[in-house]
Amino acid sequence: MPHSHRSMSRPTRKRRLGIGLSVLTTLVLLLLVTWLWALPAYIDQRLSQTLAERSGRQVTIEDVTLPPWRHQVTLDGLRIAGQADTPVFSSQRVVAILDWHSLFESGWRFERIDLEAPRLQLIWRSGGAWNLAQLFGSDGGGESAPLRIAQLNVSDGRLDWINRRPDKPLTLSLTNLALEARHYDNSDDRPFSLQGQADWNGGTLKGEGEMGFSPWTVDVDLDADQVPLTTLSGYLTHVVRAEPAAGSLGAQIRLRAGRASDAGTQVNGQGVIEALVMRDPKKDQTIARAERFAVEGLTFASAQPELTAARVSLAAPWLDVTIDEQLDTNLTAWRPPASSGGSEDDGSESGSSEDESSAGQGMHYALDALSIERGAVAFNDRHLPRPFELDFSALNGEWRQLDSDQPGDGQLSLEGQVADGSPLRIEGAFDPLGDVMNGNLNLHFERLDLETLAPYLREFGGYAVERGQATLDLDYRLDQGRLQAQNHLVLHRLKLGEEVDTSATELPLKTLVGVLKSDDGTIELDIPMRLPLDDLGSVDFGSVAGQAIREALENLVSSPLDTLSEVVGDGGANHLDDAELAADGESNEGGTGDKDGEDASAIYEHADTRQ
């Protein structure tokens, strides 16, 4: 019997063991089914619902997978809807390592998230809010589910930063973005740290700093290299009317905005632009070039609009200055643009931010020093019947203390030469940044070839120029947009050609030239001039030139006895021709004394009646 009992108990234990193993296998299978199907479905549903509630947009996830026995989730085809077919956020694959607390507590906690080929549209709306501030930040009500990410890695990403605050929205795009962010927590208002680099329209951009979405905070150091300047065209239009046509930017700046700044958006740093080319947007013509444009000590602030720099250095700059047929100049392209005075929002959000409230106050510009090396200027005057062109080259010097709030204080010292090799020097105080032009300038030109000025002499004198040189000392006083000039002119060996326009002036110019010439063939004139610069289109330059010539003759006419004795007295009947021909290297044989005496009297009478 004992043996029989033992024989019966063994099958019983085997059956119990088999039942236990079956139950365990069933539980394992159920757990696997739950892990591989039910749990992914739960995560898909919960995550999609959370993202949709926080973003206010439709959220789709193509697939959710969980590797067995690992606290890792893989999302394929994550997409948060945007406008039309462009999602506001998408990623080909998201690999997230969960913190187990996420399964038992509200919100989500991740040890690490890896985003593969993500795309993000970060939109700054016209009212100052960000499109995804609610998604990534706290809604301020205390009811939002916490989202904590210890480490976020991005590879092959794309960021489109769209600014809708200006009248025309601006977009800056970064591609091939590699980014690492740490310690993101939407329940904490402290910013998270980040560092990364990306391709920026053919150049590269590296950055490191802090950022936060709610409240909005940016404090990052940026290093740009070989970035095409045209990338920033939309932003530069708010600084100057001229537009970049070419140029490569390298810069090291610190960018602060939101809570990190007490002056709106702030930019501090330095930069260099190589091979700069600027164009006039109205005429689509190049108006400036420079081999190198370097800026040191740059500061920009938007709350109280300000743009300042410690030093700007220009290497081999070239500038085009043109007066057109209507007497307008292209120099207006270098003025700051006028305030628009409105926006697409029709003022509905006026006062919603510091930037908007100060938009109409105007930008403050200041520059401590502008240095010029190997500069050149091409001057063109197209309002004359025969266009006038004059090139200046080898310009070297400095312009100091330019400030739009203190017009007239800019100290200028510049040396160079005219195209024919004549030296020039410009010194004085003048600041073009002020609303009204003020200052004092002295321009000195040494032995300038008068053939260069032939178009002006044809227009206002009526004669061609065969030869001659001029030394000019021009003292300009600019007072509230009006020019007062004292011009000292010394003409050397001047010889006029044929008369080309009898209506240009009523003065007997050839006769006056002969009267005024000294024995060595020089003529000295002091020519005062007054001219309004605020509306050049209303100025009759012919009348101004005529007035300047008449005033230059005042000394001559105010001493008629001396003048007449020079022309007709004591055998001086031939003095006019002798002086003129002697200066030309010729002699006068044969007298015309009576005729010359009559001409001299006529000169006096004509000049006297014109005073």
Side-chain angles (χ1 to χ4, degrees):
M1 287 295 294
H3 176 74
S4 176
H5 177 72
R6 286 195 298 270
S7 298
M8 294 178 62
S9 63
R10 288 176 180 173
T12 301
R13 287 198 297 271
K14 290 181 179 180
R15 285 196 300 272
R16 290 176 179 175
L17 181 60
I19 293 172
L21 291 174
S22 299
V23 171
L24 181 60
T25 302
T26 302
L27 290 175
V28 170
L29 290 175
L30 289 175
L31 182 59
L32 285 175
V33 170
T34 302
W35 186 272
L36 298 177
W37 179 78
L39 186 57
Y42 167 75
I43 292 177
D44 187 348
Q45 184 272 335
R46 182 180 172 186
L47 184 58
S48 298
Q49 181 180 358
T50 301
L51 293 176
E53 289 176 352
R54 293 191 61 83
S55 66
R57 303 170 184 269
Q58 182 181 0
V59 178
T60 58
I61 302 174
E62 294 180 1
D63 188 33
V64 178
T65 58
L66 287 83
W69 322 122
R70 297 176 61 185
H71 55 293
Q72 175 178 308
V73 179
T74 301
L75 310 177
D76 291 317
L78 174 61
R79 180 185 177 98
I80 300 178
Q83 293 183 349
D85 296 330
T86 303
V88 71
F89 176 80
S90 65
S91 183
Q92 291 182 3
R93 172 164 292 185
V94 180
V95 179
I97 299 178
L98 286 164
D99 186 324
W100 285 108
H101 293 88
S102 294
L103 300 178
F104 312 107
E105 298 179 0
S106 63
W108 294 89
R109 295 186 180 186
F110 297 94
E111 293 181 6
R112 194 181 78 206
I113 293 180
D114 297 328
L115 302 178
E116 298 179 10
R119 174 165 182 165
L120 174 64
Q121 281 192 341
L122 198 57
I123 302 174
W124 197 5
R125 294 170 175 159
S126 58
W130 291 91
N131 62 325
L132 295 179
Q134 184 178 353
L135 173 63
F136 293 112
S138 173
D139 59 13
E143 299 179 356
S144 60
L147 174 62
R148 301 181 179 91
I149 304 173
Q151 180 177 342
L152 174 68
N153 300 318
V154 174
S155 61
D156 192 23
R158 177 186 177 98
L159 170 64
D160 294 317
W161 187 333
I162 303 173
N163 185 355
R164 291 183 177 170
R165 303 193 72 189
D167 294 339
K168 294 182 179 180
L170 304 173
T171 300
L172 298 177
S173 297
L174 302 177
T175 59
N176 296 324
L177 175 64
L179 178 71
E180 179 184 295
R182 291 181 177 272
H183 309 302
Y184 171 78
D185 187 346
N186 71 339
S187 62
D188 191 338
D189 61 1
R190 289 178 297 181
F192 58 92
S193 64
L194 75 165
Q195 63 177 1
Q197 68 178 47
D199 293 339
W200 192 10
N201 196 22
T204 59
L205 179 67
K206 299 179 181 179
E208 182 176 2
E210 294 181 336
M211 186 175 182
F213 292 102
S214 183
W216 171 244
T217 305
V218 173
D219 189 352
V220 296
D221 292 316
L222 299 173
D223 188 341
D225 184 40
Q226 299 294 315
V227 177
L229 189 62
T230 52
T231 304
L232 302 175
S233 294
Y235 287 93
L236 292 176
T237 56
H238 295 273
V239 179
V240 66
R241 297 173 186 175
E243 295 179 352
S248 177
L249 172 66
Q252 299 79 42
I253 64 173
R254 182 184 182 187
L255 173 65
R256 287 174 290 172
R259 193 175 64 172
S261 169
D262 58 359
T265 300
Q266 283 185 286
V267 177
N268 301 90
Q270 59 187 10
V272 175
I273 302 173
E274 304 284 353
L276 172 65
V277 178
M278 300 293 289
R279 57 182 287 273
D280 186 340
K282 291 184 177 180
K283 299 182 179 179
D284 194 23
Q285 295 177 344
T286 298
I287 57 175
R289 296 189 301 266
E291 289 182 4
R292 181 182 174 89
F293 180 100
V295 180
E296 301 173 20
L298 175 69
T299 298
F300 169 78
S302 64
Q304 298 292 329
E306 179 181 51
L307 179 62
T308 66
R311 186 176 187 84
V312 172
S313 302
L314 297 175
W318 173 87
L319 175 66
D320 174 70
V321 179
T322 299
I323 300 175
D324 63 20
E325 292 80 357
Q326 289 75 40
L327 289 175
D328 294 325
T329 75
N330 61 351
L331 294 178
T332 56
W334 300 107
R335 299 284 295 174
S339 301
S340 61
S343 66
E344 293 177 348
D345 300 323
D346 296 328
S348 59
E349 295 177 355
S350 176
S352 61
S353 70
E354 283 186 315
D355 293 353
E356 288 181 347
S357 63
S358 61
Q361 297 178 6
M363 181 81 73
H364 168 230
Y365 298 88
L367 175 59
D368 290 345
L370 169 65
S371 68
I372 299 172
E373 179 183 354
R374 296 178 289 117
V377 174
F379 177 75
N380 297 275
D381 189 344
R382 297 176 181 171
H383 93 280
L384 302 174
R386 297 180 62 177
F388 171 72
E389 297 181 0
L390 184 62
D391 293 329
F392 302 91
S393 61
L395 299 174
N396 296 279
E398 282 195 340
W399 209 341
R400 293 183 173 274
Q401 305 303 320
L402 299 174
D403 195 319
S404 59
D405 289 348
Q406 298 177 359
D409 290 344
Q411 300 298 314
L412 174 62
S413 178
L414 190 66
E415 293 184 349
Q417 64 182 27
V418 189
D420 62 359
S422 304
L424 69 89
R425 183 179 67 252
I426 303 174
E427 295 179 335
F430 173 62
D431 192 338
L433 297 180
D435 294 334
V436 180
M437 287 187 285
N438 291 279
N440 296 280
L441 288 175
N442 175 262
L443 288 73
H444 180 82
F445 296 83
E446 188 72 28
R447 292 192 173 273
L448 178 66
D449 193 337
L450 284 178
E451 290 187 18
T452 304
L453 304 176
Y456 285 106
L457 293 174
R458 283 175 172 268
E459 174 71 5
F460 304 124
Y463 283 89
V465 176
E466 292 188 5
R467 71 159 182 261
Q469 293 180 329
T471 297
L472 295 86
D473 271 308
L474 314 178
D475 286 308
Y476 290 166
R477 178 180 178 83
L478 298 166
D479 186 10
Q480 297 299 312
R482 298 188 65 85
L483 171 66
Q484 295 186 14
Q486 294 293 333
N487 306 312
H488 182 70
L489 172 65
V490 180
L491 301 175
H492 307 272
R493 300 177 61 81
L494 171 63
K495 184 176 181 180
L496 298 178
E498 64 179 3
E499 188 174 16
V500 294
D501 185 0
T502 58
S503 63
T505 179
E506 298 177 1
L507 296 174
L509 195 58
K510 267 196 171 183
T511 304
L512 286 175
V513 168
V515 170
L516 296 176
K517 273 187 180 179
S518 64
D519 291 339
D520 61 357
T522 62
I523 300 174
E524 292 195 34
L525 293 175
D526 288 308
I527 305 176
M529 184 178 293
R530 291 175 292 276
L531 189 68
L533 300 180
D534 52 354
D535 187 11
L536 289 176
S538 64
V539 176
D540 183 348
F541 282 89
S543 298
V544 172
Q547 177 189 355
I549 293 173
R550 289 193 298 272
E551 292 190 21
L553 294 174
E554 284 183 355
N555 290 333
L556 173 67
V557 176
S558 62
S559 301
L561 295 178
D562 293 339
T563 301
L564 292 176
S565 66
E566 285 289 326
V567 178
V568 300
D570 296 331
N574 297 329
H575 179 78
L576 171 61
D577 291 335
D578 289 341
E580 183 172 357
L581 295 176
D584 294 339
E586 303 173 9
S587 61
N588 182 21
E589 299 179 1
T592 55
D594 295 339
K595 185 177 184 300
D596 288 339
E598 294 173 1
D599 286 344
S601 300
I603 293 173
Y604 173 72
E605 288 183 24
H606 181 77
D608 189 42
T609 59
R610 300 284 290 185
Q611 292 189 80

